Amino acid sequence: MISGLRDTLLTSLNGGQGVGTLGLLQVTDRSGVSASVNLASAETLDDVIDLINASAANVTASINSARNGLTITDDSGGGGNLIIANGDANNSATKLGLVANVAASSKSSGALKRQTISEATLLSSLNGGKGVVFGDVRITDT
């Protein structure tokens, strides 16, 4: 069974390479309220979402409509720009695809490339649990 995107480990993003160490994410809502969100303790996308949503900025983080990344939506009703930036040298906003300085009410990360197959994936778990018939797949070592 594949987990939902919210409980996806950050280490399984970017095709299994992970996002590395996260740090501060600087978020400024469209009314000008700014918050530094410390993502250092985050292990899953759910942790990232919860930490952003608990910030002083009037924004909501959620899974995007394509269900492959995050969206940060401004709830302030302000007329300025939604700004999402790296808050330190860990480049958290960049790693999560969230860097923005836009006159828009939301920013989507785009696909975060969750790894869904690995060396430990059983062939019997593929094809909706039906597995694959021998001869259908050729694996070669180059």
Side-chain angles (χ1 to χ4, degrees):
M1 180 175 184
I2 296 176
S3 67
L5 191 59
R6 282 185 65 106
D7 54 4
T8 296
L9 292 171
L10 297 175
T11 56
S12 69
L13 299 179
N14 292 325
Q17 295 179 18
V19 293
T21 301
L22 294 181
L24 295 179
L25 183 73
Q26 191 67 35
V27 180
T28 305
D29 67 31
R30 295 187 71 192
S31 69
V33 175
S34 186
S36 289
V37 182
N38 188 346
L39 301 177
S41 65
E43 294 181 7
T44 65
L45 283 178
D46 194 39
D47 294 338
V48 171
I49 289 168
D50 289 345
L51 288 165
I52 293 170
N53 289 343
S55 77
N58 195 3
V59 297
T60 301
S62 60
I63 299 300
N64 66 15
S65 61
R67 306 215 36 82
N68 63 5
L70 298 174
T71 293
I72 296 182
T73 303
D74 180 275
D75 300 318
S76 72
N81 281 4
L82 172 61
I83 302 170
I84 306 165
N86 296 312
D88 61 19
N90 287 317
N91 298 321
S92 300
T94 300
K95 290 175 181 178
L96 295 172
L98 293 171
V99 173
N101 187 343
V102 295
S105 62
S106 67
K107 168 61 178 162
S108 177
S109 67
L112 293 176
K113 303 176 189 163
R114 177 176 75 164
Q115 180 182 24
T116 56
I117 190 168
S118 72
E119 295 172 343
T121 302
L122 298 175
L123 292 177
S124 61
S125 70
L126 301 176
N127 194 22
K130 297 176 188 172
V132 292
V133 178
F134 291 108
D136 287 355
V137 176
R138 175 182 280 187
I139 300 173
T140 58
D141 185 12
T142 58

